[in-house]
């Protein structure tokens, strides 16, 4: 016979199991992330904007799995040699979006992070990034770095080998793949209006920083409530500079975790990889962008490592590398990379 006390114990155990199961199944967890697939109602075309309507609400700590689309029209891909059946249905579907521009990128979002407020820092952790399709393309654009010298506007389809993680450029050239999202950002300050998706800025956006692969974190200053995060412009591989204006453009599937940091302020985006701290600068002038990236690294060393300004400046000169991120997005990008292994204590 089941006594009252045994019945109570059984109920408690059952409730505990249900509670544990519910927690394990919580939407937004690592094992059960929110899903943000591309559709006409879940993408914005060509802008970051403080007035954009969120398509997903999450909380700090949540995970989101995204499927982003390459930036190209289906007919252009087919004309370049992609079989019609290999053009993603989602890419065809989003052609129905009429509210476009001023930029050309198809971006998933915006995502509203409940805790995020102006003055906070949003950390985006790239848990995983995978190829979504077996090809990408590179195309010479009219805004390429040498567009006044090279007038060919060809598009090359590049088959991608997911197992070997290589791209077949020609029979004698193989490209190692390191997939990353070219455009990752939040809404800019309200006074910036509807910001073109091409030029990166203080909101991050089209950084085209090839270091932001799986296992890295991007730290972005928040400018509006909810942050209004967007992501897209998947790249299978890219060289620093992105000189013809495209990388190996492709569709990607990534899992991201979002962390809101209170009481920590940034003026410009910053990143951390397993091996490096990265500061960034963007401006129409390459010299100005470089100044920003170096100043931001000095600031990092002063704030986080408690160095004097002079010592931080010296350390930048002897241990950090200044790289051109990209030369083609209206605002050019520069990033500075500081190896973490120099800090022995």
């Amino acid at each position: 016979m089941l006594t009252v006390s045994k019945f109570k114990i059984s109920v408690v155990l059952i409730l505990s199991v249900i509670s544990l199961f519910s927690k394990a199944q919580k939407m937004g967890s690592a094992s059960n992330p929110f899903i943000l697939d591309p559709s006409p109602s879940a993408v914005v075309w060509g802008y970051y904007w403080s007035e954009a309507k969120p398509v997903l609400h999450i909380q700090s700590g949540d995970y989101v799995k995204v499927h982003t689309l390459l930036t190209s029209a289906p007919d252009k891909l087919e004309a370049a040699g992609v079989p019609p059946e290999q053009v993603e249905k989602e890419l065809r579907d989003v052609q129905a979006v009429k509210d476009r521009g001023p930029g050309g990128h198809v971006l998933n979002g915006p995502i509203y992070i409940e805790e995020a407020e102006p003055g906070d820092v949003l950390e985006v952790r790239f848990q995983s990034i995978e190829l979504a399709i077996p090809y990408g393309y590179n195309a010479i654009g009219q805004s390429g770095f040498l567009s006044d010298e090279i007038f060919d506007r060809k598009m090359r389809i590049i088959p991608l080998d997911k197992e070997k993680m290589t791209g077949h450029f020609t029979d004698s050239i193989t490209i190692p793949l390191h997939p990353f999202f070219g455009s990752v950002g939040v809404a800019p300050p309200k006074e910036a209006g509807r910001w073109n998706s091409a030029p990166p800025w203080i909101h991050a956006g089209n950084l085209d920083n090839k270091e932001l692969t799986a296992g890295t974190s991007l730290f972005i200053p928040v400018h509006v409530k909810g942050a209004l995060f967007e992501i897209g412009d998947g790249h299978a591989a890219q060289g620093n500079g992105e000189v013809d204006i495209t990388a190996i453009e492709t569709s990607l599937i990534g899992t991201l975790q979002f962390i809101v940091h209170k009481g920590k302020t940034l003026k410009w985006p910053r990143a951390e990889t397993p091996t490096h701290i990265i500061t960034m600068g963007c401006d129409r002038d390459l010299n100005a962008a470089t100044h920003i990236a170096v100043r931001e690294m000095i600031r990092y060393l002063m704030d986080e490592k408690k160095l004097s300004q002079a010592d931080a400046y010296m350390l930048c000169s002897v241990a950090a590398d200044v790289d051109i991120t990209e030369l083609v997005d209206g605002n050019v990008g520069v990033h500075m990379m500081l190896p973490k292994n120099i800090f022995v204590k």
Side-chain angles (χ1 to χ4, degrees), residues 161-184:
D161 188 323
K162 191 173 182 178
E163 298 301 319
K164 296 180 179 178
M165 287 304 288
T166 56
H168 182 81
F169 192 79
T170 68
D171 288 343
S172 60
I173 301 174
T174 297
I175 309 298
L177 304 183
H178 48 90
F180 70 98
F181 297 97
S183 195
V184 183

Side-chain angles (χ1 to χ4, degrees), residues 70 154 191 221 228 245 266 314 317 331 333:
L70 54 72
K154 68 184 294 185
E191 58 269 24
L228 299 181
I245 206 171
L266 286 179
M314 294 168 70
S317 191
N331 282 346

Side-chain angles (χ1 to χ4, degrees), residues 23-34:
K23 290 179 180 178
Q25 295 299 310
K26 176 183 177 295
M27 182 65 81
S29 66
S31 60
N32 188 29
F34 288 102

Side-chain angles (χ1 to χ4, degrees), residues 8-279:
K8 288 182 178 179
I9 292 172
S10 298
V11 169
V12 170
L13 287 172
I14 291 170
L15 291 175
S16 297
V17 171
I18 292 174
S19 176
L20 289 171
F21 180 78
S22 298
K23 290 179 180 178
Q25 295 299 310
K26 176 183 177 295
M27 182 65 81
S29 66
S31 60
N32 188 29
F34 288 102
I35 304 296
L36 184 56
D37 288 331
S39 70
S41 62
V43 301
V44 296
W45 198 303
Y47 61 87
Y48 288 87
W49 190 26
S50 62
E51 301 301 317
K53 303 301 181 185
V55 300
L56 177 64
H57 284 71
I58 66 171
Q59 296 182 337
S60 178
D62 281 343
Y63 292 76
V64 180
K65 186 175 184 179
V66 298
H67 172 187
T68 65
L69 300 171
L70 54 72
T71 298
S72 182
D75 59 336
K76 290 183 178 180
L77 294 173
E78 292 174 11
V82 176
E85 65 273 13
Q86 288 192 21
V87 176
E88 293 170 283
K89 178 181 181 300
E90 295 89 345
L91 184 61
R92 298 189 189 278
D93 290 344
V94 300
Q95 303 305 308
V97 174
K98 303 299 183 185
D99 181 18
R100 302 188 184 189
H105 301 93
V106 179
L107 303 171
N108 293 40
I111 299 173
Y112 187 101
I113 300 93
E114 296 291 347
E115 295 85 349
E117 296 177 325
D120 294 339
V121 172
L122 177 65
E123 178 185 358
V124 183
R125 296 180 180 176
F126 299 96
Q127 299 293 321
S128 64
I129 304 175
E130 300 177 356
L131 303 175
I133 55 178
Y135 63 88
Y137 75 86
N138 181 265
I140 302 173
Q142 62 182 6
S143 298
F145 189 60
L146 297 180
S147 60
D148 57 344
E149 298 179 24
I150 298 175
F151 302 103
D152 196 335
R153 296 293 177 260
K154 68 184 294 185
M155 175 187 281
R156 179 190 295 273
I157 302 302
I158 302 173
L160 306 178
D161 188 323
K162 191 173 182 178
E163 298 301 319
K164 296 180 179 178
M165 287 304 288
T166 56
H168 182 81
F169 192 79
T170 68
D171 288 343
S172 60
I173 301 174
T174 297
I175 309 298
L177 304 183
H178 48 90
F180 70 98
F181 297 97
S183 195
V184 183
V186 299
K190 291 183 178 181
E191 58 269 24
R194 187 161 157 149
W195 186 267
N196 188 317
S197 64
W201 192 39
I202 55 176
H203 70 297
N206 193 33
L207 294 171
D208 285 330
N209 190 319
K210 72 174 188 177
E211 303 298 334
L212 300 179
T213 55
T216 67
S217 285
L218 176 64
F219 299 86
I220 312 171
V222 176
H223 305 285
V224 302
K225 185 168 176 56
L228 299 181
F229 175 87
E230 298 172 8
I231 185 169
D233 190 30
H235 294 166
Q238 179 199 294
N240 278 337
E242 199 189 22
V243 292
D244 76 357
I245 206 171
T246 58
I248 300 181
E249 309 287 327
T250 193
S251 300
L252 295 178
I253 295 173
T255 300
L256 321 173
Q257 186 185 22
F258 297 85
I259 308 289
V260 174
H261 294 277
K262 299 286 186 181
K264 180 178 181 180
T265 60
L266 286 179
K267 185 175 180 181
W268 287 89
R270 183 180 295 170
E272 183 172 355
T273 77
T275 58
H276 287 77
I277 300 296
I278 305 175
T279 57

Side-chain angles (χ1 to χ4, degrees), residues 276 313-322 336-339 342-343:
H276 287 77
Y313 188 28
M314 294 168 70
L315 185 60
C316 285
S317 191
V318 301
D321 293 314
V322 176
M336 193 169 201
M337 300 187 63
L338 182 72
I342 66 173
F343 302 104

